[in-house]
Amino acid sequence: MDRDVEYEPVSVKTVLAEMKDTAELLIDLSYSAVLHESDEIAYEVLDLEARMDRLQLQGRMSLLMAARRPEDAEQLAPVLGVMAAAEKISNAAGDIAKVVVEDIGLPHAIHGSLPGAVEVLVRATIEPDSRYADTTLADINMETEAGVRLIAIRRDAVTGKQQWLINPGADTFLRGGDSVLLRGPQDGVGAVYANATGESYEPPTVTKESIDDLERAVNSITLMKDMSELAVDLAYGAVLFESTGVAEEVKELEAEVDALKSRFEAWTLRAATRLADPVRLRGLVHIASATEVISDAALEISEGVLRGIDAHPVVAAAVEESDEVIVRLAVDVGSQLAGKTLGAEQVKTETGMRVIAVRRGNNDDGWVVQPGPETELREGDSIIAKGTRAGAELLGDAVGDPQSFEI
């Protein structure tokens, strides 16, 4: 046990909410570390992974203190399962980051091919004389002006310890010395990075590779990553709304990730016979294996719902009170967004909700994972979106599904 962690009265609900938000941030950061071949971001992942370990210990101790009767133990056991699954996601993200930190073999072309070609994630430190210092995110309005989201802040607390603020809100103040994580299109991120640091942003360079069919392998890992990330979101949504239907979606996504990994393994074995130095593929194998662990953990989170076991109220409360809510909405016939693209209708700007996946009404068309501005919404589609509760209501009205929280 980490000797730095001692029992202190802490709300299990608070710990679970923080673990959920931290796990989701870790997925983003770990792949971005690989994309940018960034030791800085990789070490942020390892730092957050250690924080997750401490959170799990605190949560376990609180659960042990709460279980006084056999009935308590029975009801709280599934909560331990959710905690363990969140830690698995954290550990998998750490394994992905170690591909960079430990310089495990990885084709250089991967840095220009993994998710982030449209959106990049960059770490920046706000200079004390920056125009961002001592202002709120609402004052800066970087998301509207540059299309850039500030997804997390790391700052030195008064106690001397580092403090993470995940998914900060519009009223969050930025301070000189804050380390911020920015996500958005490369041009927008470059402008915000320059304003924050006073320095120019240098995008990663892409090196061409001679490995046959590398693009197909990279696309497989990209799709695995997108599906695993979506599975995690849906798993927490299934718990929040006790929805067997959404939990079944998680199960299907996990099976698809398994199938993708099998095809990727076959490609790796064939490619290794054609390379003078097959060790260069080790990193891809590590990333694929860790990505599968993330989807497996998502299935574990939703397993109780699949088995008809009532979740302890503290789990649903934690998901509901975390920094973002997850909703599934149906695009109704004749709705405002039917036949329109996400970009043309400025869905993110108008509602504050990010559409993270679209399930076509015709199941043969399957999922559109990580939809972009050009993605068209059709009558009968189901959309998965993340954001605030107020934003979910606005989006529900726009698609003609006012039951915004009936996932």
Side-chain angles (χ1 to χ4, degrees), residues 69-266:
R69 301 170 301 167
E71 293 81 3
D72 295 334
E74 183 177 335
Q75 196 174 27
L76 292 171
V79 183
L80 282 172
V82 173
M83 285 184 175
E87 190 183 28
K88 283 184 180 179
I89 295 170
S90 167
N91 292 340
D95 288 341
I96 293 170
K98 287 173 186 174
V99 170
V100 177
V101 172
E102 298 177 3
D103 199 20
I104 296 173
L106 194 66
H108 292 296
I110 196 79
H111 307 309
S113 304
L114 274 176
V118 177
E119 282 197 329
V120 297
L121 190 149
V122 174
R123 178 180 177 275
T125 301
I126 296 177
E127 289 297 308
D129 59 352
S130 163
R131 73 180 183 89
Y132 292 164
D134 302 317
T135 59
T136 67
L137 291 180
D139 294 332
I140 298 169
N141 202 19
M142 67 175 68
E143 190 161 359
T144 299
E145 293 182 2
V148 175
R149 287 187 295 121
L150 196 158
I151 62 175
I153 302 169
R154 190 184 69 179
R155 67 168 49 129
D156 293 331
V158 177
T159 59
K161 293 183 177 180
Q162 290 179 334
Q163 176 188 18
W164 279 92
L165 302 175
I166 300 173
N167 290 324
D171 57 348
T172 301
F173 265 91
L174 297 179
R175 305 173 186 169
D178 280 352
S179 177
V180 298
L181 297 171
L182 308 168
R183 188 183 193 104
Q186 188 161 286
D187 290 345
V189 165
V192 173
Y193 183 91
N195 285 331
T197 67
E199 300 176 357
S200 298
Y201 167 65
E202 298 294 335
T205 56
V206 179
T207 305
K208 290 187 177 180
E209 292 282 343
S210 59
I211 303 175
D212 292 339
D213 216 13
L214 176 64
E215 183 178 356
R216 182 184 297 180
V218 170
N219 287 342
S220 292
I221 291 182
T222 298
L223 190 54
M224 286 173 64
K225 181 262 183 188
D226 290 342
M227 286 187 165
S228 295
E229 195 168 12
L230 176 59
V232 171
D233 284 333
L234 291 183
Y236 282 113
V239 171
L240 172 58
F241 299 103
E242 296 186 20
S243 170
T244 304
V246 175
E248 290 288 352
E249 303 270 26
V250 176
K251 188 176 181 179
E252 288 182 22
L253 286 168
E254 190 270 341
E256 289 187 45
V257 172
D258 285 350
L260 283 168
K261 183 170 181 281
S262 294
R263 291 199 289 273
F264 171 78
E265 287 172 343

